[in-house]
Each structure stands twice: as structure tokens, then as C-alpha cells.
Amino acid sequence: MNKIRLSVPLPVVLGMLAMTTSLSVDILLPAFSEISHYFNINIKYTEYIITSFLIGFTIGQLIFGPIVDHVGSKTILFKGVFCYLIINVLSILSEYYGFLLLMRLCQGVAASAISVAINSYLREYFVKNELSKIISLITQIVTIGPLVGPSLGSILLLNYGWKSILSVNICFSISCLLLMTLYLPIPKSSKPKQDLKPKIIYHNFKIILSDKTIVAYILINSLSFAAMFGFISVSSNLYINEFKIPVIYFGFVYSLNIISLTVFSIINSKLVNKLSYHQMLQVGIMIQLLSVLYLLVTLYFSLSIVNIIFAIVLFNGCVPLINSNCMAGLLTKLPEIAGTASSASGTIRFGLSSIFCLIISLLPFSNTNIIALMFTVSVTLIFFIYSITFLTNDFLVNDDR
């Protein structure tokens, strides 16, 4: 394994690159109502802004995994960020809602290239618990986006209109290109470049999807992530329209979820070397299970919205805990095809998120009940998959820390 010293710029650069996905979603959330007025559409249809991005991200994950394994991670990072920049410029020119959704789909494709390349880049330097730790450190950087995004979006919306929000993504893309040029070292991996022949690509995906443990990591990560994205898709309507929270305070209430993400990421980075990435995964699953039980009790006894918000914040906070350790387990088992492995994981993760968001947009229930249903289904399936995969054999006994 190649070793590098973890200087400050590297986690910052990788964190900023990883932030493209969250920033693409969170900063626009306060603007959904304004966008519906601008294009003269029902506010319910604004949820497609997230769904179209997720569909693009899912398609891109499937495409760029094998390409990253063949071309190299840094090349794809530069091209992905450049395309992301151009697409944001085109989005500002949108005068039709259909064109905006098309640009959001393309934006998702560009963001997926960045995401796959980051995971492949990391795998060339880190393994096992070390990999989980660096993913947690990057997550702490990433949370800055959703932490300040909604508040910044609210300020820009109230003063300059919703299109001004897209200018932030443009400036952000330019900053990423500059930082990559200055601080991102070229990976010196000894692993062979993977062939792009369809037969080889099929073989690699077959290896990934035929391993019971790998599939379990992917599904657990995907279900947890999809539930969080389902919440994100309805968060604006939930907080502003259902809970009657003023737009100016939306960013603050929403940021509680991001603070929770940060806290659990820090906890993971501190404890993963003392325990193991698999034991930390157990912790994340159990906390999500408890948060869902708390949410159901809150709704059953009609407790205040403060209790509902707390349960949601606790559930979402565990998502990076589960993600970091699932990815550590996944990439550790498949070092030679890290890009394809990340691609398969991302395709299922964001594909499932797209399905969740689409189903949510069609359900006639209140947003609170939708979230309760979505969280319950997600954590039930996670617990079931974890149990039949890891608790029915000697995996925990032989887990290599």
C-alpha cells in the first residue's frame, strides 16, 4: 500500500470534492416554493428537482466505475468538476422547468463521476479501519455544505432570487479546480489498469454482486442513505408548510441534522481504530433502530414536533456512521476494482434513493407519516439483512481489525 502524509490540504480538497453532491441538493431546498411560482407549477412537482439529480447520479455511477478503474481517479476528478461547472452555468439560463430538470440530471451524472473517483483515489492509499477513519474525516468537511447551504440559500433567495443560489455552485466548482491543481497528489498505485472490454466489466460486477457480504454492505448503506434522502426531499415542505417554521429559520432547524452528522462522524473517526469498522457499523444500526422506535412512540402519543425533529436528527446522524464503515468493508475486500465497487454501491444507493423519492411524491399521506413509514421500512430491512448476513456465521469472530 502506498503511504502519504495526511497534510491539511488533502482532506480539505477531497472533502470539498465530495461536497458537490450535498451542496447540489441542500442549498436549493429553501427555494422550492419560489421555483414553483417562477415556473408556475404545483409545489409538489418541485421534488423532481432532487429526483432528477438522483437519477443522473445513479446512471453516472454505473458508467464511471469501470472508467475510473481504467483511466485513473485524478483524471476523472478534473473532468467531472469541469463538467459540473459548465452544467451549473447552463442551469442559470433555465427558462423552462423541463430544461432545469434536464440540467439537474446532467449535474447528477457529473457529481457521480467525482464521487466514484474519490472512493477509488482513497482506496489507493488506505485500508480497513484507516479507510473508515479518513472517510469520516472527509465527511466532517462535507457536512459544511448542508450545514451552511440552506441558510445561505435562504439569504440569497430573499435578496436576489433563486437563480443566485446556483452561482454558489459555480464559484465552488472553480475553487475545487484550483485546489486540485495545487494540492491533490497523483496516485502512484501499483494496481493494474482494468480493461474496458464488456466481458471484463461484466466479470467485475459479477464478482461484486455474487459475494453475500459485499451485497449486504451495499444494501445496508443504500437503505440508510435512501431514507435520509427521502427526508431531504420533503424537508422543505415538512418544516415550512407542515410545521409552520418561517423560511428564515429553515436553515437553522435543518442544520440540526448536519450537526448530528458531524458529531457521529467525529465519534467514528475517534473510535474505529479502538474497535473495528464492523463494530462501529453495529453501533450505527442500533442507534437508527432506537430512533425509529422513538419516532413511532412520539407519533402514537401525539407528542410535540420537537420530539419528531429529535428522532429525525438522531436517525440521520447515523447515516455517515453506517456509510463510512460499509464503504470501508466494501473497498477493503475489493482493492483491485475499487472504482467498479464504488460504482455498484453508488448505483444501488442512489437508485434506491430515487425510488424512495418517487414513491414519496405519490403518497397521499402527511410528510410526517411518510417519514415515519420510510424510516421504519428502511431500518427493518437493514436489521434483517444484517442479521442473516453477519449473525448467522462466524464473521464477527474472524473480523480482521
Side-chain angles (χ1 to χ4, degrees), residues 19-83:
M19 200 188 299
T20 52
T21 302
S22 61
L23 198 62
S24 297
V25 175
D26 297 302
I27 198 170
L28 269 178
L29 292 176
F32 278 14
S33 180
E34 180 67 24
I35 290 174
S36 69
H37 291 309
Y38 184 89
F39 291 109
N40 193 27
I41 59 172
N42 189 303
I43 191 171
K44 191 74 173 178
Y45 297 139
T46 56
E47 294 174 8
Y48 295 147
I49 293 174
I50 293 179
T51 305
S52 59
F53 177 85
L54 292 178
I55 292 173
F57 201 99
T58 302
I59 295 171
Q61 290 272 327
L62 195 60
I63 295 171
F64 287 109
I67 294 177
V68 168
D69 285 334
H70 179 75
V71 176
S73 54
K74 189 170 183 178
T75 300
I76 298 300
L77 281 173
F78 269 99
K79 292 182 178 180
V81 174
F82 181 76
C83 291

Side-chain angles (χ1 to χ4, degrees), residues 1-7 10-11 14 119 121-140 265 268-278 280 323-325 327-329 331-332 399-401:
M1 180 185 69
N2 297 312
K3 293 286 187 178
I4 61 171
R5 183 172 62 88
L6 271 183
S7 59
L10 181 58
L14 293 176
N119 287 324
Y121 188 94
L122 287 173
R123 183 57 191 87
E124 298 187 30
Y125 290 121
F126 308 103
V127 295
K128 297 184 179 179
N129 297 336
E130 188 183 27
L131 182 58
S132 175
K133 182 177 181 179
I134 190 63
I135 292 175
S136 290
L137 291 174
I138 291 173
T139 301
Q140 293 169 38
S265 294
N268 185 67
S269 64
K270 298 294 184 182
L271 295 182
V272 70
N273 283 331
K274 296 179 181 179
L275 300 174
S276 72
Y277 64 82
H278 191 82
M280 293 306 297
N323 174 68
S324 298
N325 295 295
M327 290 305 297
L331 297 177
T332 296
D399 183 23
D400 183 8
R401 292 176 54 178

Side-chain angles (χ1 to χ4, degrees), residues 41-277:
I41 59 172
N42 189 303
I43 191 171
K44 191 74 173 178
Y45 297 139
T46 56
E47 294 174 8
Y48 295 147
I49 293 174
I50 293 179
T51 305
S52 59
F53 177 85
L54 292 178
I55 292 173
F57 201 99
T58 302
I59 295 171
Q61 290 272 327
L62 195 60
I63 295 171
F64 287 109
I67 294 177
V68 168
D69 285 334
H70 179 75
V71 176
S73 54
K74 189 170 183 178
T75 300
I76 298 300
L77 281 173
F78 269 99
K79 292 182 178 180
V81 174
F82 181 76
C83 291
Y84 183 83
L85 168 63
I86 299 301
I87 292 166
N88 275 288
V89 172
L90 293 174
S91 296
I92 291 183
L93 305 177
S94 300
E95 291 299 330
Y96 300 97
Y97 189 56
F99 182 77
L100 176 63
L101 293 182
L102 176 62
M103 290 300 99
R104 290 288 292 174
L105 187 143
C106 294
Q107 192 178 45
V109 173
S112 71
I114 300 170
S115 176
V116 171
I118 288 173
N119 287 324
S120 180
Y121 188 94
L122 287 173
R123 183 57 191 87
E124 298 187 30
Y125 290 121
F126 308 103
V127 295
K128 297 184 179 179
N129 297 336
E130 188 183 27
L131 182 58
S132 175
K133 182 177 181 179
I134 190 63
I135 292 175
S136 290
L137 291 174
I138 291 173
T139 301
Q140 293 169 38
I141 304 295
V142 171
T143 53
I144 296 175
L147 182 63
V148 304
S151 297
L152 179 60
S154 297
I155 294 172
L156 291 172
L157 175 67
L158 293 174
N159 290 280
Y160 305 106
W162 71 271
K163 287 192 176 183
S164 65
I165 298 175
L166 299 175
S167 64
V168 175
N169 284 335
I170 294 174
C171 295
F172 179 79
S173 303
I174 295 173
S175 300
C176 285
L177 288 171
L178 292 174
L179 286 173
M180 280 195 296
T181 302
L182 294 174
Y183 296 115
L184 195 65
I186 299 175
K188 298 179 180 179
S189 175
S190 58
K191 73 176 185 178
K193 296 296 183 183
Q194 295 292 317
D195 204 319
L196 279 178
K197 292 180 179 178
K199 184 178 180 180
I200 300 298
I201 295 174
Y202 171 77
H203 175 71
N204 289 340
F205 275 112
K206 185 177 179 180
I207 291 174
I208 295 168
L209 298 178
S210 61
D211 188 300
K212 179 181 177 182
T213 303
I214 291 173
V215 172
Y217 281 134
I218 291 174
L219 290 178
I220 290 171
N221 190 13
S222 299
L223 286 164
S224 177
F225 188 84
M228 182 185 69
F229 245 98
F231 158 75
I232 291 174
S233 71
V234 301
S235 60
S236 180
N237 290 331
L238 176 70
Y239 287 152
I240 296 174
N241 298 325
E242 196 165 313
F243 290 170
K244 306 302 180 183
I245 295 174
V247 174
I248 193 65
Y249 297 122
F250 169 78
F252 169 75
V253 178
Y254 184 83
S255 68
L256 295 176
N257 294 279
I258 313 308
I259 293 172
S260 182
L261 294 175
T262 306
V263 170
F264 279 104
S265 294
I266 293 173
I267 291 173
N268 185 67
S269 64
K270 298 294 184 182
L271 295 182
V272 70
N273 283 331
K274 296 179 181 179
L275 300 174
S276 72
Y277 64 82

Side-chain angles (χ1 to χ4, degrees), residues 285-306:
I285 293 173
M286 292 309 300
I287 295 176
Q288 279 200 334
L289 177 60
L290 291 174
S291 69
V292 169
L293 292 175
Y294 184 80
L295 176 60
L296 294 176
V297 169
T298 296
L299 294 178
Y300 182 79
F301 290 102
S302 301
L303 302 180
S304 69
I305 63 171
V306 173

